[in-house]
């Protein structure tokens, strides 16, 4: 089931977190100059998790950790030289840590189909496998990380702000939920365990 809502242009506000959940307001420092390849487009995309199907936006690959019937909403709010991304989830396991990142490809039958992390400055030595694990590139300033911990009801709300805008010609196409919080150590930076679920984002 797919639900998408275009919510305007040039939104600048940093969305604050809601109940009981690993809030993550990341002020980042990467310099960025607006270009014709960037676009000010805000949207919200999400749905109810189910098994993969051609028309399914929210897919679970591990129903034990992301149950069928759980839901998520990704809200993207760009401004002139920055972007805020918020993730809201319901129906996940209670009091559990998860990782989450934006990825380059749409969701598919397997978690790997979402491709590598979406990066502002792409790691030239990385691909979907092996992924970027160099902390110079795999970090929350160059990628969008949305790690969270659910509350006792299995809900969470988290946001991340980066000092750049998405590329209009190649925007992120999915958000992947992982099994654990994101590692930052050299050689493991950006990794967060198995890919549990995926949400396809609009072009």
């Amino acid at each position: 089931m797919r639900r998408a809502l275009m919510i305007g242009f040039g939104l600048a506000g940093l969305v604050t977190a809601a109940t009981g959940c690993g809030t993550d307001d990341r002020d980042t420092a990467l310099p960025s100059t607006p270009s014709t390849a960037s676009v000010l487009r805000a949207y919200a995309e999400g749905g109810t998790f189910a098994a993969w199907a051609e028309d399914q936006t929210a897919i679970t690959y591990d129903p034990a950790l992301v149950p069928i019937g759980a839901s998520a909403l990704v809200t993207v709010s760009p401004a002139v030289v920055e972007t805020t991304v918020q993730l809201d989830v319901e129906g996940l396991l209670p009091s559990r840590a998860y990782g989450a990142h934006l990825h380059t490809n749409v969701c598919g039958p397997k978690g790997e189909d979402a491709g590598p992390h979406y990066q502002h400055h792409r790691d030239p030595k990385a691909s979907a496998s092996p992924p970027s694990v160099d902390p110079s590139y795999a970090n929350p300033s160059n990628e969008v990380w949305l790690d969270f911990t659910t509350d006792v009801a299995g809900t969470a709300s988290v946001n991340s702000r980066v000092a750049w805008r998405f590329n209009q010609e190649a925007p992120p196409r999915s958000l992947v939920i992982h099994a654990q919080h994101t590692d930052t150590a050299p050689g493991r930076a950006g990794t967060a365990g198995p890919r549990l679920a995926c949400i396809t984002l609009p072009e």
Side-chain angles (χ1 to χ4, degrees):
M1 176 180 180
R2 184 180 181 86
R3 58 171 181 165
L5 173 65
M6 305 308 301
I7 57 176
F9 292 80
L11 298 181
L14 177 63
V15 184
T16 55
T19 26
C21 59
T23 301
D24 192 2
D25 297 343
R26 290 189 170 100
D27 291 327
T28 58
L30 278 181
S32 179
T33 301
S35 71
T36 55
S38 296
V39 62
L40 288 175
R41 186 168 72 96
Y43 63 82
E45 180 69 71
T48 302
F49 287 106
W52 183 83
E54 289 286 350
D55 61 347
Q56 180 66 29
T57 297
I59 300 159
T60 179
Y61 304 112
D62 188 340
L65 297 180
V66 178
I68 290 175
S71 63
L73 180 67
V74 181
T75 304
V76 175
S77 302
V80 176
V81 292
E82 66 183 26
T83 306
T84 300
V85 182
Q86 176 158 326
L87 172 64
D88 297 285
V89 298
E90 295 181 353
L92 301 186
L93 299 189
S95 304
R96 191 188 192 284
Y98 293 86
H101 317 108
L102 295 187
H103 284 248
T104 59
N105 301 337
V106 298
C107 306
K110 301 178 293 183
E112 294 76 14
D113 295 332
H117 291 182
Y118 186 82
Q119 295 182 325
H120 180 50
H121 297 291
R122 186 175 174 274
D123 184 347
K125 297 182 179 179
S127 60
S129 181
S132 177
V133 290
D134 179 351
S136 298
Y137 295 92
N139 62 65
S141 294
N142 194 45
E143 302 179 346
V144 177
W145 294 6
L146 291 156
D147 293 358
F148 62 91
T149 300
T150 55
D151 63 16
V152 294
T155 67
S157 180
V158 62
N159 60 63
S160 176
R161 184 176 64 199
V162 290
W164 40 275
R165 297 184 302 184
F166 299 157
N167 188 308
Q168 181 178 0
E169 298 176 357
R173 294 306 317 282
S174 61
L175 178 138
V176 173
I177 296 177
H178 293 260
Q180 60 198 43
H181 281 176
T182 310
D183 204 325
T184 58
R188 300 194 305 274
T191 61
R195 300 182 181 194
L196 305 179
C198 186
I199 301 164
T200 293
L201 303 178
E203 292 185 84

